[in-house]
């Protein structure tokens, strides 16, 4: 028994040890920089350019590097060198740090020498230092003898300067600017924060993306001796207000860096970079928690990451996609039943022979409930009068705008539905529909995206109350598979998520008719329940998402109108509709955490919204047997819209037509033959709706015998 306890203790302490090792920064690589004496380091907005400061008291310069891979310092090569030395003699100007404004048209250089200035440069081409011209030198007015480092808040209305004077090398000064990033405007000294209780010397200062965390770095011990190489991480209760700071923890980089002078981060906080004056190197680290260099200090990535808007949009998109898949599976069926109602006085239902050959046992068992007729040979069979075939394709484009908390979303959806139904009476039928769909969502501008494939099977029916009133019902199941890509800070994380869904719809329709003009008021209820599996990302600062449930409900009411025009060889029917939907879906909680941490964060995704849908379309029915249905639909909700085009095909059977539909493994094919005035018309098509790469094909052959 004692040995068992010992094992438990060993496992416990090993778990603590390794969890800390994982949570702290992980060294990745170093990049040697063999030019001069370096003090400063920064990057452009997307990490494709890196800048260092060179100072040898005679040739002071900013060096610009091109990174072929964002934030991968091993790919850095020198692109430009800009001499920034000003006259005044030795030790009058020593550049120590360089930073830019948001759009890269202004450059600021702190002066480590005795002139106590922040130099301001203009760039005619963004982030291209070869186009920089000197504007002015801002005097620190005695607040600071030397400036080691300079930083700004997001809009440039606050400037923070780290001191390096003999009596103030542990102080941080804060200034307000009446005009952002304009040192020629009114600049007011706000306060001075003395960090002597935390460190003796400040070489560099920087902030996270929203100013709620501040980081300082020093190459000295607290007592002023050399080579401790400490980083302090502070929390600020008021963003960019250094008077509100409190120490969160300290991280030592002496195992890697010999003389740390500046620390910067990637734009999403997943990478950290330190410039080492002793070894003339830039060191790259991965952070297991964005913007955290100490163990146990991870925060919600949505609120403490520059890529937080993308993360929230991704969660919102996964929730919305689950909701939309249920609607997308129901809509073609509703379109089919509406088409049948428009043409119920004519026998417009096409019939076919169907063969199912699925290796998947579940799909095969579902297929067995579908009544079919088939012959033992491979020839096309004559039309029967039992089951009718229909198909519909849809293409949809939509966009959700950027908000204060989430990034914009561009949505592209497409799908194909194949169905069959049986007419029990003139107004009553039931049927089955099979749909494959693909939903792609591009989030923000960094490359974050979702790609969801869905497979839906539904059972539907129309039940008349009398000649003018109908109830249409749909019940179905769907499977979902989502490939998730999250990009930020030069890092790419990937993940896969599965889901299963049940959905249903009940639509009550009444009809008012005068001659060929018909109006159909309706009220509909749509419900769905989706379970999204737990999944984890792969990559730097990876997140783990717990299982999520998405419950949706919507009540819609509206009307459709239609009219018929009869011509000698075809019938043209136009129609349009308007529908208002009220969403009563409950919030869906998404729970997630950093892979390296146990602390979980929960985000409630509010699904409630109002939706206005308008559509217009037409049916074209040719006397030779071809029918075409097309619908254009516009959906408008609170902060988003989508445009969808539906296109459906059908055939009017006659004795000279024959065709067959075949499901074979993961492919569906349709073959159609017709003898038209001595000409043989053969049309075949196929669609691979379950493969990794969708495969479409169609062939048309017309021949005649002489």
């Amino acid at each position: 028994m004692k040995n068992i306890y010992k094992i438990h203790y060993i496992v416990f302490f090993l778990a603590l040890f390794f969890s800390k090792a994982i949570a702290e920064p992980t060294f990745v690589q170093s990049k040697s920089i063999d030019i001069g004496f370096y003090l400063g380091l920064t990057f452009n907005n997307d990490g494709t350019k890196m800048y260092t400061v060179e100072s040898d008291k005679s040739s002071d310069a900013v060096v610009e590097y091109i990174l072929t891979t964002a934030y991968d310092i091993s790919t850095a090569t020198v692109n430009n060198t800009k001499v920034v030395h000003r006259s005044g003699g030795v030790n009058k100007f020593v550049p120590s740090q360089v930073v830019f404004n948001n759009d890269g048209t202004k450059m600021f250089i702190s002066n480590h020498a005795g002139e106590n200035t922040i130099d301001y440069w203009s760039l005619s081409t963004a982030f291209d230092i070869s186009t920089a011209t000197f504007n002015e030198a801002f005097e620190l007015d005695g607040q600071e003898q030397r400036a080691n480092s300079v930083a700004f808040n997001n809009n440039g209305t606050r400037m923070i300067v780290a001191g390096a004077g003999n009596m103030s090398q542990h102080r941080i000064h804060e200034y307000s600017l009446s005009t952002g990033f304009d040192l020629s405007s009114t600049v007011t000294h706000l306060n001075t924060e003395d960090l002597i209780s935390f460190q003796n010397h400040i070489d560099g200062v920087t902030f996270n993306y929203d100013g709620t965390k501040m980081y300082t770095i020093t190459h000295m011990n607290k007592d002023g001796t050399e080579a401790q190489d400490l980083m302090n991480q502070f929390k600020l209760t008021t963003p960019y207000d250094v008077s509100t700071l409190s120490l969160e923890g300290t991280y030592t980089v002496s195992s890697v860096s010999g003389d740390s002078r500046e620390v910067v981060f990637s734009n999403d906080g997943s990478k950290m970079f330190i410039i080492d004056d002793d070894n003339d190197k830039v060191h790259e680290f991965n952070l297991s928690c964005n913007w955290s260099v100490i163990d146990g200090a991870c925060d919600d990535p949505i609120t403490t990451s520059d890529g937080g808007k993308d993360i929230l949009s991704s969660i919102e998109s996964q929730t919305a996609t689950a909701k939309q898949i249920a609607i997308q599976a129901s809509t073609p069926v509703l379109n089919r039943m509406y088409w049948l109602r428009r043409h119920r006085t004519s026998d417009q239902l096409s019939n076919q022979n169907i063969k199912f050959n699925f290796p998947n046992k579940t799909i095969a068992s579902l297929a067995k409930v579908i009544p079919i007729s088939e012959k033992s040979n491979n020839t096309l069979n004559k039309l029967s009068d039992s089951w009718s075939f229909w198909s519909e394709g849809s293409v949809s484009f939509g966009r959700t705008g950027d908000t204060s908390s989430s990034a914009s979303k561009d949505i592209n959806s497409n799908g194909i539905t194949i169905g069959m139904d049986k007419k029990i009476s003139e107004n009553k039928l039931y049927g089955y529909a099979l749909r494959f769909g693909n939903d792609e969502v591009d989030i923000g501008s960094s490359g974050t995206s979702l790609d969801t494939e869905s497979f839906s099977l539904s059972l539907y029916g129309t039940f008349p109350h009398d000649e003018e009133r109908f109830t249409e019902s749909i019940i179905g199941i769907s499977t979902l598979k989502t490939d998730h890509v999250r990009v930020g800070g030069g890092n790419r994380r990937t993940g896969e998520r599965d889901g299963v869904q049940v959905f249903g719809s009940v639509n009550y329709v009444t009809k008012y008719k005068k001659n060929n003009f018909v109006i159909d008021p309706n009220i509909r209820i749509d419900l769905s329940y989706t379970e999204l599996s737990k999944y984890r990302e792969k990559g730097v600062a990876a997140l783990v998402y717990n299982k999520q449930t998405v419950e949706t409900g919507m009540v819609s009411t509206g009307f459709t109108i239609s009219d018929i025009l009869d011509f000698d060889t075809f019938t043209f029917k136009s129609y349009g509709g308007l529908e208002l939907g009220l969403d009563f879906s409950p919030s869906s909680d998404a729970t997630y955490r950093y892979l390296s941490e146990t602390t979980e964060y929960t985000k409630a995704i509010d699904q409630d919204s109002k939706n206005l849908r308008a559509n217009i379309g037409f049916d074209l029915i040719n006397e030779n047997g071809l029918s075409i249905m097309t619908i254009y639909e516009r959906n408008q909700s609170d902060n988003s819209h989508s445009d969808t085009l539906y296109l459906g095909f059908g055939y009017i059977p006659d004795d000279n037509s024959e065709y067959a539909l075949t499901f074979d493994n993961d492919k569906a094919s349709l073959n159609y033959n017709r003898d038209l005035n001595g000409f043989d018309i053969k049309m075949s098509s196929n669609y691979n709706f379950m493969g990794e790469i969708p495969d479409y094909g169609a062939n048309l052959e017309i021949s005649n015998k002489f």
Side-chain angles (χ1 to χ4, degrees):
M1 181 65 71
K2 291 182 179 179
N3 290 333
I4 294 176
Y5 284 126
K6 288 181 180 178
I7 293 173
H8 285 173
Y9 284 129
I10 291 172
V11 171
F12 174 75
F13 285 111
L14 284 175
L16 287 179
F17 175 79
F18 283 111
S19 66
K20 182 175 181 178
I22 293 173
E24 289 184 344
T26 303
F27 174 73
V28 177
Q29 60 187 337
S30 298
K31 175 71 175 181
S32 295
I33 304 175
D34 298 323
I35 305 174
F37 177 66
Y38 284 83
L39 294 173
L41 175 70
T42 196
F43 290 84
N44 68 340
N45 293 337
D46 61 4
T48 58
K49 286 189 175 184
M50 180 177 74
Y51 307 84
T52 61
V53 173
E54 170 191 349
S55 179
D56 61 4
K57 299 182 180 181
S58 62
S59 180
D60 303 311
V62 176
V63 183
E64 174 185 306
Y65 300 80
I66 296 292
L67 281 68
T68 55
T69 301
Y71 293 110
D72 183 353
I73 61 175
S74 68
T75 67
T77 56
V78 175
N79 187 50
N80 285 309
T81 298
K82 181 68 177 182
V83 176
V84 294
H85 185 80
R86 294 190 283 111
S87 62
V90 176
N91 293 327
K92 291 296 183 179
F93 183 77
V94 178
S96 55
Q97 174 61 328
V98 56
V99 296
F100 297 87
N101 68 337
N102 295 333
D103 62 6
T105 59
K106 294 181 180 181
M107 180 173 69
F108 304 88
I109 301 174
S110 57
N111 183 6
H112 180 69
E115 288 192 348
N116 59 301
T117 61
I118 304 295
D119 284 18
Y120 162 39
W121 297 67
S122 295
L123 284 71
S124 57
T125 302
F127 294 106
D128 183 354
I129 63 173
S130 67
T131 67
T133 56
F134 177 74
N135 281 355
E136 64 176 306
F138 173 76
E139 300 285 343
L140 295 175
D141 295 331
Q143 279 93 30
E144 184 52 60
Q145 182 182 354
R146 296 178 178 179
N148 256 2
S149 187
V150 61
F152 291 86
N153 67 347
N154 291 333
N155 61 14
T157 57
R158 284 214 175 191
M159 180 175 68
I160 297 91
V161 179
N166 293 333
M167 300 299 295
S168 60
Q169 57 189 7
H170 38 73
R171 294 176 182 173
I172 290 182
H173 306 273
E174 194 163 13
Y175 302 81
S176 68
L177 283 68
S178 60
T179 303
F181 297 106
D182 186 357
L183 293 179
S184 64
S185 66
T186 302
V187 180
T188 305
H189 181 256
L190 297 176
N191 61 279
T192 299
E193 189 70 19
D194 196 335
L195 302 186
I196 187 61
S197 59
F198 305 112
Q199 61 195 89
N200 181 269
H201 189 278
I202 303 174
D203 287 290
V205 61
T206 192
F207 295 81
N208 70 336
Y209 84 104
D210 65 354
T212 57
K213 291 183 185 293
M214 183 181 76
Y215 313 84
T216 59
I217 194 165
T218 178
H219 69 290
M220 302 179 69
N221 292 325
K222 187 176 178 180
D223 60 4
T225 58
E226 293 285 339
Q228 183 66 33
D229 292 289
L230 290 175
M231 279 190 63
N232 284 327
Q233 177 175 307
F234 300 91
K235 183 177 182 178
L236 282 67
T237 56
T238 301
Y240 296 102
D241 185 350
V242 295
S243 67
T244 66
L245 62 82
S246 60
L247 183 66
E248 286 191 313
T250 299
Y251 177 65
T252 302
V253 295
S254 56
S255 61
V256 177
S257 180
D259 192 356
S260 303
R261 295 289 181 164
E262 199 72 54
V263 57
V264 295
F265 296 84
S266 61
N267 58 7
D268 69 343
S270 64
K271 284 183 175 291
M272 177 179 73
F273 303 87
I274 293 173
I275 193 164
D276 182 353
D277 180 38
D278 190 34
N279 298 310
D280 288 341
K281 290 181 178 181
V282 175
H283 306 294
E284 177 184 336
F285 300 80
N286 285 336
L287 303 183
S288 56
C289 299
N290 292 357
W291 302 106
S292 180
V293 300
I294 56 176
D295 181 38
C298 296
D299 294 312
D300 188 342
I302 289 179
T303 59
T304 60
S305 169
D306 196 27
K309 295 178 67 173
D310 283 6
I311 297 174
L312 179 57
S313 287
S314 177
I315 296 173
E316 292 174 340
S317 295
Q318 293 179 66
T319 305
T321 297
K323 181 179 181 178
Q324 286 301 313
I325 285 173
I327 297 174
Q328 292 165 358
S330 298
T331 299
V333 177
L334 292 170
N335 291 339
R336 166 67 174 175
M337 290 190 287
Y338 182 42
W339 187 89
L340 291 171
R341 282 190 279 110
R342 294 196 301 270
H343 303 283
R344 63 190 179 97
T345 58
S346 318
D347 187 12
Q348 305 287 358
L349 308 181
S350 57
N351 303 287
Q352 75 293 318
N353 298 289
I354 302 178
K355 179 183 178 181
F356 288 94
N357 182 24
F358 285 114
N360 186 288
K361 295 182 179 180
T362 303
I363 299 176
S365 64
L366 292 170
K368 289 180 180 179
V369 304
I370 303 178
I372 62 175
S373 63
E374 60 177 303
K375 295 182 179 181
S376 59
N377 57 41
N378 294 323
T379 61
L380 296 175
N381 302 301
K382 292 291 183 179
L383 293 170
S384 68
D385 58 1
S386 177
W387 287 87
S388 303
F389 166 80
W390 60 274
S391 64
E392 181 177 298
S394 64
V395 179
S396 178
F397 301 92
R399 178 174 178 80
T400 299
D402 186 85
T403 69
S404 59
S405 58
S406 62
S408 62
K409 297 177 277 288
D410 292 303
I411 306 164
N412 179 16
S413 303
N414 58 83
I416 184 170
T417 303
I418 300 173
M420 58 186 301
D421 43 45
K422 185 175 183 179
K423 195 173 182 181
I424 301 174
S425 65
E426 184 177 347
N427 296 323
K428 188 175 182 179
L429 64 89
Y430 71 95
Y432 306 87
L434 192 67
R435 183 184 187 275
F436 172 78
N438 181 249
D439 295 79
E440 298 178 353
V441 184
D442 293 325
I443 298 170
S445 58
S446 62
T448 299
S449 65
L450 298 171
D451 189 347
T452 302
E453 292 185 350
S454 59
F455 180 72
S456 305
L457 178 67
S458 56
L459 168 66
Y460 62 93
T462 297
F463 309 96
H465 300 284
D466 53 38
E467 285 294 319
E468 308 299 340
R469 295 182 299 135
F470 306 84
T471 296
E472 301 168 337
S473 301
I474 306 170
I475 187 169
I477 59 174
S478 301
T479 60
L480 293 73
K481 182 181 179 181
T482 300
D483 292 326
H484 178 210
V485 177
R486 180 166 65 90
V487 180
N491 295 305
R492 188 175 187 269
R493 304 104 177 158
T494 60
E496 295 182 358
R497 190 176 210 178
D498 297 323
V500 62
Q501 178 184 86
V502 294
F503 62 91
S505 179
V506 178
N507 187 36
Y508 177 79
V509 185
T510 186
K511 182 184 294 290
Y512 300 97
K513 182 176 181 181
K514 185 176 181 179
N515 298 325
N516 289 331
F517 182 81
V518 180
I519 182 170
D520 293 315
N522 77 291
I523 184 169
R524 188 176 75 255
I525 298 177
D526 296 285
L527 302 171
S528 68
Y529 177 85
T530 308
E531 281 194 0
L532 301 176
S533 67
K534 178 179 179 179
Y535 81 102
R536 55 179 287 183
E537 296 177 335
K538 299 177 181 178
V540 176
L543 298 175
V544 177
Y545 295 83
N546 291 342
K547 183 176 71 173
Q548 182 184 0
T549 60
V550 183
E551 301 175 9
T552 64
M554 178 175 286
V555 176
S556 305
T557 183
F559 63 89
T560 57
I561 57 175
S562 62
D563 198 7
I564 300 177
L565 297 175
D566 289 315
F567 297 89
D568 293 339
T569 58
F570 65 91
T571 298
F572 183 85
K573 175 169 284 191
S574 60
Y575 50 89
L578 189 66
E579 188 175 81
L580 176 64
L582 300 177
D583 200 333
F584 57 90
S585 305
S587 296
S588 177
D589 289 344
T591 306
Y592 50 94
R593 63 176 174 86
Y594 284 104
L595 180 61
S596 61
E597 293 286 314
T598 58
T599 302
E600 293 187 339
Y601 309 95
T602 300
K603 184 66 179 180
I605 305 300
D606 190 2
Q607 300 186 85
D608 292 342
S609 64
K610 298 180 180 67
N611 184 76
L612 183 64
R613 183 176 71 160
N615 58 56
I616 188 171
F618 68 86
D619 298 339
L620 183 65
I621 304 173
N622 191 283
E623 66 176 5
N624 292 325
L626 175 66
S627 68
I628 299 175
M629 178 196 72
T630 183
I631 304 172
Y632 167 76
E633 183 175 280
R634 174 79 176 207
N635 280 273
Q636 185 74 50
S637 60
D638 298 340
N639 191 43
S640 65
H641 71 270
S642 64
D643 298 281
T644 307
L645 179 65
Y646 300 94
L647 185 63
F649 294 94
Y651 301 93
I652 302 173
D654 63 32
D655 293 337
N656 295 320
S657 302
E658 56 184 14
Y659 64 94
L661 172 69
T662 300
F663 290 97
D664 187 5
N665 195 4
D666 61 351
K667 294 182 179 180
S669 61
L670 173 65
N671 299 279
Y672 173 77
N673 290 354
R674 179 176 175 83
D675 181 8
L676 184 61
N677 298 328
F679 286 89
D680 291 327
I681 300 176
K682 298 180 180 181
M683 183 174 66
S684 62
S685 63
N686 64 80
Y687 184 78
N688 185 342
F689 56 88
M690 295 186 68
E692 293 184 2
I693 302 176
D695 182 23
Y696 308 84
N699 183 64
L700 177 64
E701 180 181 337
I702 302 176
S703 61
N704 191 16
K705 296 181 180 179
F706 297 93

